[in-house]
Amino acid sequence: AAGVIQSPRHLIKEKRETATLKCYPIPRHDTVYWYQQGPGQDPQFLISFYEKMQSDKGSIPDRFSAQQFSDYHSELNMSSLELGDSALYFCASRQGAGGTDTQYFGPGTRLTVL
Amino acid sequence: LAKTTQPISMDSYEGQEVNITCSHNNIATNDYITWYQQFPSQGPRFIIQGYKTKVTNEVASLFIPADRKSSTLSLPRVSLSDTAVYYCLVGDNYNNAGNMLTFGGGTRLMVKP
């Protein structure tokens, strides 16, 4: 079965640079969630989109922005990167309308900021 | 969102049954209980979900008492590959436009040979 795809899987950036993470949800899933997991920490919700509209916002820094496109894929844009942004970034998708409520997670993007 | 409390860690041996209990005293009427498993550097994986009584799938069983203030995830005959962090989450599953997951303090299960 198709799963959530995230790219790139690994990313190394310098401080103050920008990064773009991409997420391709499971086909027919219309809801996308972004989570950040720092070393030794639990995943923390950042932001979510339902039918291309932002639906919820969590602890996402103002330096980050995200959007969901017409094909339902989503991108997380991160600017002015800081050392503390080094983390695993997970995308999850869900079929919001008429489907199950289960969120399916992607393999994650490991971002390292030097 | 209902707050959950789980043991920080548990040890077990291969072949044993493992039961992880989660407390959620302020669970709301519309809330479901969901368990996720996470291996190091991998995304959380859905294990099981339930509302009341007992739910069983090919991986685990979930026991929920009548008052729903706690739940127990039961893993039969664990193997070394079940070593992971297990998260109990409680939330309303009928909100199509939201329903973010709040992960807090999972249980780190270590299965020994």
Side-chain angles (χ1 to χ4, degrees):
Chain A
V4 176
I5 297 172
Q6 291 188 246
S7 68
R9 294 293 310 279
H10 302 272
L11 192 58
I12 299 175
K13 291 287 185 178
E14 300 277 344
K15 277 172 42 178
R16 292 179 289 277
E17 286 190 323
T18 61
T20 297
L21 278 54
K22 297 184 179 182
C23 168
Y24 298 86
I26 293 172
R28 292 184 296 282
H29 281 195
D30 52 15
T31 309
V32 168
Y33 306 80
W34 285 96
Y35 295 85
Q36 176 192 59
Q37 187 171 29
Q41 298 179 1
D42 302 318
Q44 297 293 319
F45 169 72
L46 293 178
I47 195 167
S48 63
F49 293 87
Y50 168 61
E51 280 292 343
K52 292 153 280 184
M53 298 288 289
Q54 181 183 308
S55 54
D56 275 299
K57 202 170 184 179
S59 51
I60 183 170
D62 292 339
R63 300 177 288 107
F64 295 6
S65 65
Q67 57 182 322
Q68 186 179 32
F69 295 85
S70 58
D71 64 350
Y72 295 103
H73 94 272
S74 178
E75 295 184 5
L76 177 66
N77 300 294
M78 311 159 73
S79 63
S80 303
L81 287 169
E82 302 174 356
L83 296 179
D85 295 328
S86 295
L88 269 168
Y89 290 84
F90 294 108
C91 168
S93 75
R94 168 178 171 261
Q95 187 174 355
T100 70
D101 47 90
T102 303
Q103 289 186 28
Y104 295 89
F105 283 77
T109 294
R110 182 176 293 281
L111 172 66
T112 302
V113 181
L114 302 176
Chain B
L1 293 173
K3 177 178 169 55
T4 60
T5 303
Q6 312 173 222
I8 294 174
S9 64
M10 292 182 69
D11 289 344
S12 183
Y13 291 91
E14 282 190 293
Q16 289 189 332
E17 178 184 75
V18 171
N19 296 307
I20 306 174
T21 297
C22 177
S23 297
H24 27 80
N25 291 316
N26 59 339
I27 188 169
T29 302
N30 291 336
D31 286 346
Y32 275 66
I33 301 150
T34 309
W35 286 80
Y36 278 81
Q37 173 194 56
Q38 187 178 29
F39 298 112
S41 297
Q42 294 187 27
R45 183 177 77 105
F46 171 85
I47 300 176
I48 198 166
Q49 183 182 77
Y51 183 80
K52 62 180 179 180
T53 63
K54 177 184 174 182
V55 179
T56 297
N57 61 22
E58 65 278 5
V59 176
S61 295
L62 179 60
F63 298 91
I64 306 168
D67 67 4
R68 305 201 326 122
K69 293 184 183 301
S70 67
S71 59
T72 299
L73 174 71
S74 181
L75 304 172
R77 296 181 297 283
V78 294
S79 63
L80 297 177
S81 62
D82 292 317
T83 294
V85 177
Y86 292 82
Y87 291 98
C88 164
L89 299 101
V90 173
D92 180 355
N93 292 318
Y94 290 94
N95 179 0
N96 286 333
N99 205 38
M100 78 289 272
L101 297 176
T102 301
F103 291 87
T107 298
R108 189 172 301 274
L109 173 65
M110 173 69 73
V111 180
K112 303 174 182 178

